[in-house]
Amino acid sequence: MAHWMKNLKVQPNSTSLEEARKRTFEFFRLACRSIPSIMEIYNLQDVVSPSQLRSTVASQIRKNSHVTNPKVIDMLLFKGMEELKNFVDHAKQRHHIIGQYVVGRKGLVQDLGPKDEGISNFLKNFYNSKYS
Amino acid sequence: MASALRSTILRHIRIPVSQTLTLNGSKLGSGSGAVAFRLFSSHADDHLDKEEVSARVLDVVKSFPKVDPSKVTPDVHFQKDLGLDSLDTVEIVMALEEEFKLEIPDKEADKIDSCALAIEYVYNHPMAG
């Protein structure tokens, strides 16, 4: 995976929204396929599972799903690729990935959906409040 | 020195040749059938059967956070029946890649949009494990 990421070039602009969309999926697949090596590099086995990281990447992409300008999508993809490359090349440290993508914005309690019912609401609200 | 030692030892040690031979022979006899079986069936043997593929694909889909496990059946459509979007579909396909240790090319991956197609694809893939 990493070997062809080394000679990555800036692609020409996407001509249409459809092409930008295709590139987004390509980027997502690339990110998903490099998750195992990232977990290996940063020793994340006991902190997070590959599927959680996949969901995090997907939610990062979904956060920008309202963007319809192909040039903006290209720019976002470029930034995403830069970030991914930094992780794969070990240009970041373990706490970067844990802070940004494992613990994430929601704090210590992840509300990933209907399956997260085990956590008490009190704690959830506490972590979501402006306590820090 | 070494040769003298060797000859002394050889002179004093008696190995019950006939007994060991039969022992080995019987071992070989029982083992050879299994060995031949393994040799001739090396490919077909480790191919997954359809039920196992189906169960594992459904497990992957059920463990997806946005999916209600009770709705998942072997012929469910990801977007129409489970209410997922295209990104979720790609995510599920990536999860399947991880589960079965495959690398599904983009063109094939785009076509997989239901459990039935996923099961079919993985079952027909020679490297699925």
Side-chain angles (χ1 to χ4, degrees):
Chain A
M1 191 56 59
H3 59 277
W4 67 267
M5 281 176 80
K6 265 181 197 157
N7 37 29
L8 208 65
K9 288 177 191 141
V10 181
Q11 287 178 306
N13 283 345
S14 307
T15 49
S16 64
L17 187 60
E18 193 48 44
E19 197 185 339
R21 188 181 139 89
K22 220 180 84 193
R23 282 189 193 173
T24 312
F25 287 136
E26 269 168 26
F27 168 72
F28 181 54
R29 289 204 183 96
L30 183 64
C32 287
R33 283 175 187 152
S34 42
I35 282 176
S37 61
I38 290 176
M39 305 228 353
E40 186 75 24
I41 293 170
Y42 298 94
N43 268 326
L44 299 172
Q45 285 84 2
D46 46 355
V47 185
V48 72
S49 69
S51 66
Q52 274 171 300
L53 280 181
R54 248 192 323 262
S55 301
T56 314
V57 177
S59 69
Q60 296 280 324
I61 291 177
R62 192 166 284 117
K63 219 167 59 186
N64 293 314
S65 59
H66 59 279
V67 179
T68 50
N69 185 348
K71 282 187 180 171
V72 177
I73 297 177
D74 281 352
M75 184 271 294
L76 289 169
L77 284 179
F78 181 79
K79 290 177 78 129
M81 196 64 98
E82 193 182 15
E83 183 88 350
L84 178 64
K85 194 164 144 45
N86 280 340
F87 277 118
V88 173
D89 290 351
H90 212 325
K92 298 224 179 197
Q93 293 176 2
R94 193 165 182 256
H95 71 268
H96 289 128
I97 193 164
I98 292 181
Q100 275 176 279
Y101 299 102
V102 179
V103 179
R105 285 165 181 251
K106 291 204 175 148
L108 295 170
V109 175
Q110 295 269 309
D111 197 3
L112 290 173
K115 287 183 182 170
D116 259 5
E117 282 160 6
I119 303 166
S120 78
N121 270 331
F122 175 76
L123 207 56
K124 234 184 252 180
N125 293 336
F126 177 69
Y127 281 129
N128 287 334
S129 68
K130 293 174 184 164
Y131 74 99
S132 54
Chain B
M1 171 81 188
S3 62
L5 191 68
R6 186 166 167 262
S7 57
T8 2
I9 289 175
L10 280 182
R11 222 174 288 134
H12 283 88
I13 287 182
R14 296 275 185 280
I15 301 171
V17 175
S18 61
Q19 211 179 341
T20 39
L21 259 185
T22 46
L23 253 179
N24 280 345
S26 68
K27 263 185 201 162
L28 261 178
S30 68
S32 63
V35 168
F37 181 71
R38 292 292 306 169
L39 277 178
F40 288 122
S41 64
S42 66
H43 182 73
D45 200 25
D46 53 11
H47 196 73
L48 302 168
D49 61 353
K50 195 145 192 169
E51 277 175 24
E52 193 194 338
V53 170
S54 167
R56 279 167 67 185
V57 168
L58 291 188
D59 270 353
V60 169
V61 178
K62 277 177 194 166
S63 61
F64 192 68
K66 289 180 187 169
V67 168
D68 179 6
S70 60
K71 282 186 188 169
V72 178
T73 56
D75 44 20
V76 79
H77 191 279
F78 295 146
Q79 296 185 28
K80 285 176 199 157
D81 303 328
L82 296 177
L84 303 175
D85 62 9
S86 47
L87 195 62
D88 292 321
T89 310
V90 179
E91 201 178 331
I92 287 186
V93 173
M94 298 313 296
L96 289 173
E97 276 195 6
E98 189 204 352
E99 166 74 20
F100 292 97
K101 299 173 190 68
L102 298 172
E103 187 149 331
I104 305 177
D106 293 358
K107 278 184 186 171
E108 316 281 338
D110 284 340
K111 288 177 199 155
I112 298 176
D113 56 359
S114 66
C115 278
L117 279 176
I119 292 168
E120 191 69 27
Y121 184 85
V122 175
Y123 178 64
N124 289 323
H125 200 291
M127 301 296 286

